[in-house]
Amino acid sequence: MAKKQFKAESKRLLEMMINSIYTQREIFLRELVSNASDAIDKIYYRALTDDNLVFNKDDYFIKIAVDKAARTLTISDTGIGMTKDDLENNLGIIANSGSFAFKNETELKDGHNIIGQFGVGFYSAFMVADVVTVISRALGSEEAYKWQSKGADGYTIEACDKDSVGTDIILQIKDNTEDDQYDEYLEEYRLKSIIKKYSDFIRYPIKMDVTSSRAKEDAEGEYEEYTEEQTVNSMVPIWRKNKSELTDEDYENFYMEKRYGFDKPVSHIHIKADGAVVYNAILYIPENTPFDYYTKEYEKGLELYSNGVLIMDKCADLLPDYFSFVKGMVDSEDLSLNISRELLQHDRQLKAIAKNIQSKIKSQLQSLLKDDREKYEKFYASFGRQLKFGVYNDYGMNKEVLQDLLLFTSSKEKKLVSLDEYVSHMPEDQKYIYYAAGESVERLEKLPQTELVADKGYEILYLTDDIDEFAIKVILNYKDKEFKSVSSGDLGIEADSAEEKADTEENQELFTAMKDLLGDKVKEVKASKRLKSHPVCLSTEGELTIEMEKVLNAMPSAGGQAVKADKVLEINVNHDVFQSLKNAHETDKEKLSLYTSLLYNQALLIEGLPVGDPVEFTNDICKVMV
Ligand code: ADP
Ligand code: MG
């Protein structure tokens, strides 16, 4: 029998494939099972138009059989089979997808599309097998043929016997080598788990003889092994079912089965899109942050299925970074799939699906915020930080999508409020959205700078996450209201700023003297109106605030080049301490220097900044005491 050569380009492709394309060998089984399923589909479609052919469901199945001693794994199907020519044309030429031609000539209307249009599937068998034998008998034919190949060096075809229509693919599993284990592809439990993972939702039963042991009936304490045929796949995917058929529990079970997380999701989204792009998706918003979530190790992505067959574990392109916490899966019949990730990235369908998904997630979060605040706050505690990063990243490109999903603690109600809620609480004379940034709500509540704003009856947003102020700066304004730090130079509370100016002018000489003593530690010393009970505080001029200075300087990348906010030392001229300052200025320059340095250091401490020289600071306090 003459050995035939693969076409030249097929040969090259085959070598490439065996060695590189698939990184995970186990997917050979997915490919062969998909082909078997395609072959049954073909009979199914033929039966739709051919009155002589009846599709009796029970006659169609896929069977996996293992012979450990012979080291063979056989995948059989009762599908349409292949003629001699088919074997030659379909398996002799790589990437000549027979399924593709079939699809074009048949109109498939009911969504039962044929999987396996990924080109080179069959050849993946050579990743685990030395020899691949295909025995096939085509529908309507009395003859059967055997195709056999050891890989790149060609194949043989000869006539053989086969009782029924269909195809057996027999893999001679490779021997283990030092580096590679192949025995696992002869283990029932391993094969079962691969089928579960990739082919659970194939529409036809995938049967397998499974060996188990049971207690012997007659002899107590003794066990016997027995073999029974099991159907390994569950066949109907939950995402193809109607939402009305499914309960919350079904969705939660699927989440657990799929190990999307070990928590209970706060919410799920079931999408059945049949507009411009056709796809089904089940998405989950988890409750807890995965332990590696805020690290580089965390990988975002959704499972991607093509017509019921898993083709990618984590398709990152389906989720924007700011929704990277979302788990779940997408199944589409429309994807023009190729196994290469690069091609997938440019796929128009995939982009359309991603866009669609993004807006569904957003509206789901928005309705949670509106209708189930408790759940939303649970979610927000876990992933709010990611949303804020999302606002800040990419120069604020996505702030419109995200700003309405943000929550901050309110000074008034001591609970979380959205920006929309804040603005709706604003009295008419309030110009800005006020915020205070710092370590904790407890600390911020005591911040002297908040006194005036709070006195006015205005609400303050307490920003306690290091990303908060950066995100706020990117948003710039919300519903035409600008954000204003309570520590910023001009609070926009008018009457007071005029008075402040007068007070500053009146005491200009003193303030200039203090500024000279402090040098470039501060830009200015001035009278403050924001202070009511405290003697002193720091405010800032310009964009950079003290909180931002702290955050930026704490970053490892800051290195030696520390950033510095333009600080202003504000003095409460109505405080008793001010009288002492004035007296010192008139009579005792040394005392003025002592007081100035004390007040400055106090202001630093209030801000949570370290004092420059703690020893000097405590010595100064002692000087005042004696
Ligand atoms: P694809 O599935 O993308 O067409 P494959 O390399 O997986 O590519 O398979 C090549 C072709 O071989 C299929 O299109 C089909 O015509 C034929 N084929 C493979 N396996 C079977 C099978 N079990 N029964 C019938 N035909 C098969
Ligand atoms: Mg295939």
Side-chain angles (χ1 to χ4, degrees):
M1 181 178 37
K3 184 168 268 182
K4 301 192 182 179
Q5 291 300 309
F6 289 109
K7 295 264 162 66
E9 60 289 348
S10 302
K11 198 170 157 176
R12 253 201 7 258
L13 264 169
L14 183 54
E15 275 162 356
M16 257 170 57
M17 152 95 223
I18 293 171
N19 297 316
S20 71
I21 295 182
Y22 288 123
T23 45
Q24 280 177 305
R25 287 207 186 98
E26 64 186 25
I27 61 92
F28 80 92
L29 192 55
R30 171 190 81 182
E31 293 299 321
L32 298 182
V33 166
S34 291
N35 284 351
S37 167
D38 287 351
I40 301 175
D41 271 348
K42 285 175 189 169
I43 293 197
Y44 174 86
Y45 287 116
R46 185 143 326 159
L48 290 179
T49 53
D50 184 344
D51 292 340
N52 297 323
L53 189 64
V54 184
F55 190 86
N56 181 357
K57 233 176 130 247
D58 293 341
D59 297 341
Y60 297 96
F61 59 87
I62 298 160
K63 171 111 193 203
I64 312 288
V66 176
D67 183 338
K68 273 194 186 175
R71 288 187 78 80
T72 60
L73 171 64
T74 303
I75 296 99
S76 305
D77 66 71
T78 56
I80 199 157
M82 284 177 275
T83 62
K84 188 177 180 204
D85 280 352
D86 288 340
L87 286 166
E88 187 104 30
N89 294 330
N90 298 339
L91 306 184
I93 307 167
I94 217 163
N96 170 21
S97 178
S99 300
F100 193 70
F102 181 85
K103 188 182 175 187
N104 284 350
E105 79 201 18
T106 331
E107 280 205 31
L108 308 178
K109 293 202 188 84
D110 65 349
H112 264 201
N113 277 358
I114 291 172
I115 45 175
Q117 293 181 31
F118 339 140
V120 287
F122 171 77
Y123 295 90
S124 60
F126 288 104
M127 294 191 294
V128 299
D130 295 320
V131 187
V132 177
T133 308
V134 180
I135 294 174
S136 195
R137 182 170 144 193
L139 182 71
S141 164
E142 295 302 314
E143 300 149 21
Y145 287 90
K146 179 162 114 181
W147 179 100
Q148 196 166 54
S149 171
K150 288 187 176 159
D153 65 334
Y155 60 93
T156 59
I157 293 184
E158 61 185 310
C160 71
D161 289 330
K162 190 174 188 310
D163 292 342
S164 54
V165 170
T167 304
D168 300 332
I169 313 271
I170 305 157
L171 309 183
Q172 181 71 49
I173 298 295
K174 292 181 182 179
D175 286 326
N176 287 343
T177 65
E178 243 170 63
D179 301 325
D180 297 301
Q181 290 285 317
Y182 295 99
D183 281 0
E184 57 185 288
Y185 303 116
L186 295 165
E187 298 294 343
E188 282 165 9
Y189 74 91
R190 177 75 174 111
L191 295 167
K192 242 171 101 168
S193 83
I194 300 174
I195 292 168
K196 267 283 188 212
K197 178 169 176 193
Y198 295 105
S199 314
D200 197 36
F201 308 115
I202 292 284
R203 283 192 296 282
Y204 309 105
I206 303 171
K207 298 179 180 181
M208 204 171 144
D209 288 332
V210 178
T211 312
S212 321
S213 63
R214 64 184 161 205
K216 266 189 177 174
E217 263 177 33
D218 38 358
E220 220 171 291
E222 279 183 46
Y223 287 83
E224 62 182 354
E225 292 210 322
Y226 70 101
T227 306
E228 75 182 343
E229 194 179 70
Q230 285 183 358
T231 296
V232 182
N233 57 329
S234 63
M235 291 188 273
V236 182
I238 164 173
W239 61 87
R240 290 238 176 100
K241 292 186 181 163
N242 283 326
K243 291 177 216 179
S244 57
E245 288 173 57
L246 297 161
T247 62
D248 284 351
E249 207 188 345
D250 289 327
Y251 289 108
E252 276 163 25
N253 284 342
F254 185 64
Y255 183 84
M256 281 186 340
E257 241 171 65
K258 286 298 206 168
R259 295 183 181 278
Y260 290 141
F262 298 99
D263 52 348
K264 214 169 155 178
V266 288
S267 183
H268 66 257
I269 313 170
H270 190 165
I271 310 171
K272 286 170 161 282
D274 50 10
V277 266
V278 181
Y279 73 94
N280 292 319
I282 297 184
L283 309 176
Y284 294 93
I285 296 163
E287 177 180 347
N288 298 335
T289 344
F291 72 95
D292 61 349
Y293 186 66
Y294 290 108
T295 72
K296 274 203 207 97
E297 274 66 53
Y298 181 80
E299 271 183 80
K300 65 167 182 172
L302 299 175
E303 283 185 311
L304 183 61
Y305 288 79
S306 172
N307 216 359
V309 181
L310 179 70
I311 51 167
M312 205 185 277
D313 263 343
K314 279 192 176 159
C315 182
D317 298 324
L318 285 168
L319 287 177
D321 280 342
Y322 49 84
F323 289 153
S324 62
F325 46 81
V326 173
K327 302 281 182 192
M329 52 72 53
V330 171
D331 184 17
S332 176
E333 300 166 358
D334 280 359
L335 288 174
S336 54
L337 270 177
N338 190 295
I339 40 169
S340 117
R341 270 164 202 263
E342 286 70 50
L343 280 174
L344 199 57
Q345 262 173 15
H346 300 296
D347 191 281
R348 271 177 45 233
Q349 302 287 354
L350 196 78
K351 284 210 173 108
I353 295 174
K355 210 171 146 215
N356 210 296
I357 280 178
Q358 181 195 315
S359 72
K360 298 269 186 199
I361 298 171
K362 182 183 170 187
S363 43
Q364 181 80 359
L365 289 174
Q366 253 171 336
S367 53
L368 261 189
L369 174 61
K370 212 169 117 253
D371 306 327
D372 196 340
R373 186 62 168 246
E374 200 183 318
K375 271 195 179 168
Y376 187 80
E377 290 190 9
K378 258 188 195 171
F379 151 77
Y380 195 77
S382 296
F383 302 107
R385 198 174 146 78
Q386 185 67 8
L387 298 181
K388 293 183 274 192
F389 274 118
V391 167
Y392 174 72
N393 285 339
D394 299 317
Y395 310 100
M397 206 168 78
N398 302 304
K399 65 180 179 185
E400 299 292 334
V401 185
L402 300 170
Q403 60 191 12
D404 282 315
L405 298 173
L406 302 185
L407 297 178
F408 299 102
T409 306
S410 146
S411 62
K412 276 207 174 153
E413 306 180 50
K414 300 292 177 303
K415 60 176 198 193
L416 294 169
V417 295
S418 68
L419 295 176
D420 185 48
E421 287 159 352
Y422 181 99
V423 169
S424 72
H425 299 162
M426 278 170 75
E428 228 162 87
D429 67 338
Q430 184 181 342
K431 274 196 279 180
Y432 298 106
I433 301 175
Y434 292 103
Y435 70 85
E439 214 172 78
S440 66
V441 170
E442 293 69 37
R443 256 189 116 133
L444 287 172
E445 283 195 283
K446 294 187 192 131
L447 204 65
Q449 287 91 327
T450 61
E451 284 190 311
L452 174 64
V453 180
D455 237 44
K456 272 279 194 183
Y458 300 160
E459 192 171 13
I460 301 166
L461 296 176
Y462 290 149
L463 312 189
T464 50
D465 218 343
D466 53 10
I467 182 68
D468 286 353
E469 201 172 8
F470 293 87
I472 288 290
K473 294 263 169 190
V474 165
I475 300 178
L476 276 174
N477 53 58
Y478 179 84
K479 299 215 166 143
D480 293 330
K481 306 285 182 195
E482 228 178 283
F483 288 92
K484 194 79 152 173
S485 162
V486 293
S487 310
S488 69
D490 173 22
L491 282 176
I493 299 175
E494 257 160 50
D496 296 280
S497 71
E499 211 178 307
E500 193 176 277
K501 226 170 156 198
D503 283 341
T504 303
E505 269 162 26
E506 198 177 303
N507 300 292
Q508 194 55 60
E509 223 181 287
L510 166 61
F511 292 144
T512 309
M514 290 174 78
K515 156 73 184 129
D516 290 343
L517 285 164
L518 289 168
D520 63 2
K521 288 179 191 145
V522 298
K523 274 204 81 174
E524 198 191 344
V525 179
K526 68 173 193 186
S528 175
K529 262 294 168 281
R530 83 180 83 216
L531 294 170
K532 298 282 168 187
S533 60
H534 289 74
V536 68
C537 76
L538 282 172
S539 65
T540 49
E541 268 175 18
E543 277 305 293
L544 199 64
T545 65
I546 289 174
E547 265 317 292
M548 291 167 83
E549 175 189 301
K550 276 194 249 174
V551 173
L552 290 171
N553 288 338
M555 287 182 179
S557 57
Q561 285 181 308
V563 297
K564 217 171 135 217
D566 289 335
K567 303 184 187 73
V568 176
L569 188 67
E570 296 196 8
I571 309 286
N572 181 354
V573 296
N574 298 318
H575 198 280
D576 291 346
V577 159
F578 187 67
Q579 209 45 53
S580 312
L581 261 180
K582 265 173 104 170
N583 291 343
H585 177 50
E586 276 152 28
T587 58
D588 187 343
K589 295 286 163 223
E590 214 165 292
K591 217 173 213 171
L592 179 67
S593 163
L594 174 66
Y595 287 176
T596 301
S597 140
L598 268 174
L599 285 172
Y600 171 70
N601 281 330
Q602 282 179 34
L604 286 179
L605 285 173
I606 291 168
E607 288 298 327
L609 289 168
V611 293
D613 184 343
V615 177
E616 191 189 308
F617 178 60
T618 47
N619 285 341
D620 283 352
I621 293 178
C622 293
K623 274 189 215 160
V624 180
M625 290 167 80
V626 291

